[in-house]
Amino acid sequence: MHGHNLEYHLTSEKEPVELRGSLAQLEAELDPGLFVRISNSCLVNADHIRTVDGPTMRMSNGDELTISRTKRKGALEALANYYGGNR
């Protein structure tokens, strides 16, 4: 996120798509069982998470993202619910 611009990393696009908006507003509009907040500036689609190793999350496109210390517990609980079918 850059200021009030959001970067969307889409599987159908090579480069991120940038649009104006608020991450908090976007998060409120998305399915909370599918999208996981991993830091103050990053929200990920659980369908595209391949591995979690400590604070590092590898995505389906190979990107590695860091789960912030303050969001770690909530993110791991959300992922357990997602993979456990408790969406």
Side-chain angles (χ1 to χ4, degrees):
M1 184 176 81
H2 298 96
H4 290 286
N5 291 329
L6 301 174
E7 279 187 4
Y8 294 83
H9 295 258
L10 307 171
T11 56
S12 61
E13 300 292 327
K14 290 184 180 187
E15 296 296 320
V17 175
E18 192 169 299
L19 299 170
R20 287 194 54 78
S22 155
L23 190 58
Q25 181 182 6
L26 175 64
E27 184 176 25
E29 295 172 9
L30 296 172
D31 179 353
L34 181 60
F35 289 87
V36 179
R37 179 73 81 108
I38 65 165
S39 71
N40 286 338
S41 60
C42 189
L43 188 63
V44 298
N45 182 331
D47 281 343
H48 293 280
I49 298 169
R50 294 299 172 251
T51 61
V52 176
D53 184 18
T56 304
M57 178 179 287
R58 183 177 297 272
M59 305 303 292
S60 60
N61 67 356
D63 285 353
E64 288 188 356
L65 304 174
T66 301
I67 305 169
S68 74
R69 189 175 48 82
T70 59
K71 300 292 184 190
R72 185 169 173 73
K73 182 180 178 185
L76 294 178
E77 286 174 358
L79 289 174
N81 288 335
Y82 174 78
Y83 288 111
N86 300 325
R87 299 182 340 133

